[in-house]
Amino acid sequence: MLNTDVLVLNSGFIPIRITSARDAICLLTADKAIPVLQSDYIVRSPSVSIKIPSVISILGYNDLPRRKVVFSKLNVIYRDDMTCQFCHQRFLIRDLTVDHVIPGSRWQEITGRSLRDGYSTWTNMVCACRWCNNRKGNKLLSELGWTLREQPEEPKYMPHIIISFEKAQKKGWLPFCAFNVKLIKMIT
Ligand SMILES: [Zn+2]
């Protein structure tokens, strides 16, 4: 139970991160946070007995952590909303990969640029299911008759917290999911 996830809000009740129940209890006992939503589970130690929180709010902290949109495979998958850009279907994370639109073997011929120049970037990488990824190989979209669902671009904004809708619902977090939380439906 001490490893269960707890949603951390700033003083203005905007979600800032997810932490473990262990860390959340440390913040509560140090009077650095208040419980907002509690579970029915209680942790007891010789000196304290405390209900395991599901949501806490940090006292005296109104900021939002800065977040640059980091280029990563997972963020490409989230940018594309877990939808394969080749067959346009949504998949579970485990069936998703990231694929180059213009393959490495054709990059120079098509773009006239070296592989170090724009090849593995937001604009040439898309979310692909593993089946399409296999079928695509070193071909161009035009050779396969495929079209991208959306033109890949660098996202201007990424939410601070990305969680599944089902998890947020189960943990009672939905009322606290503000503008900076992206809820993803894991089941299509
Ligand atoms: Zn696909």
Side-chain angles (χ1 to χ4, degrees):
M1 279 312 291
L2 286 173
N3 291 321
T4 189
D5 285 342
V6 175
L7 184 66
V8 182
L9 312 177
N10 71 8
S11 316
F13 272 40
I14 303 296
I16 48 175
R17 63 172 187 271
I18 291 168
T19 193
S20 66
R22 182 177 283 106
D23 286 341
I25 288 168
C26 284
L27 289 165
L28 293 176
T29 52
D31 290 328
K32 286 182 177 162
I34 52 164
V36 176
L37 189 67
Q38 290 168 314
S39 71
D40 294 328
Y41 299 95
I42 295 175
V43 218
R44 289 190 179 84
S45 79
S47 54
V48 284
S49 118
I50 190 166
K51 274 191 176 175
I52 293 189
S54 178
V55 182
I56 63 168
S57 165
I58 302 278
L59 293 169
Y61 181 80
N62 262 313
D63 290 346
L64 285 173
R66 273 167 198 270
R67 177 148 169 183
K68 196 178 175 298
V69 183
V70 180
F71 177 76
S72 70
K73 286 189 171 185
L74 202 54
N75 278 344
V76 170
I77 290 173
Y78 288 140
R79 177 198 64 187
D80 294 343
D81 197 28
M82 294 167 64
T83 303
C84 172
Q85 297 300 293
F86 301 141
C87 67
H88 308 190
Q89 291 182 66
R90 261 184 130 235
F91 291 89
L92 296 173
I93 287 276
R94 65 162 186 260
D95 290 327
L96 290 170
T97 61
V98 167
D99 200 8
H100 290 91
V101 179
I102 301 173
S105 57
R106 314 286 292 277
W107 179 258
Q108 206 156 6
E109 160 202 342
I110 305 285
T111 67
R113 293 188 279 165
S114 81
L115 282 176
R116 261 173 295 170
D117 186 9
Y119 172 62
S120 287
T121 58
W122 290 110
T123 49
N124 192 42
M125 299 203 77
V126 293
C127 174
C129 74
R130 53 201 177 98
W131 298 278
C132 286
N133 194 328
N134 264 335
R135 282 170 56 203
K136 185 167 178 303
N138 288 326
K139 298 197 184 68
L140 298 173
L141 294 180
S142 55
E143 294 167 346
L144 290 154
W146 290 2
T147 48
L148 289 178
R149 185 168 166 266
E150 272 171 82
Q151 201 52 42
E153 281 173 8
E154 177 171 352
K156 307 234 169 355
Y157 170 78
M158 286 289 273
H160 288 80
I161 298 172
I162 298 168
I163 42 173
S164 81
F165 178 86
E166 289 80 7
K167 177 172 182 171
Q169 189 172 43
K170 189 169 141 229
K171 297 191 74 84
W173 293 353
L174 283 181
F176 306 100
C177 290
F179 62 92
N180 63 339
V181 178
K182 182 168 168 113
L183 296 168
I184 287 187
K185 290 229 182 207
M186 303 303 275
I187 298 151
T188 49

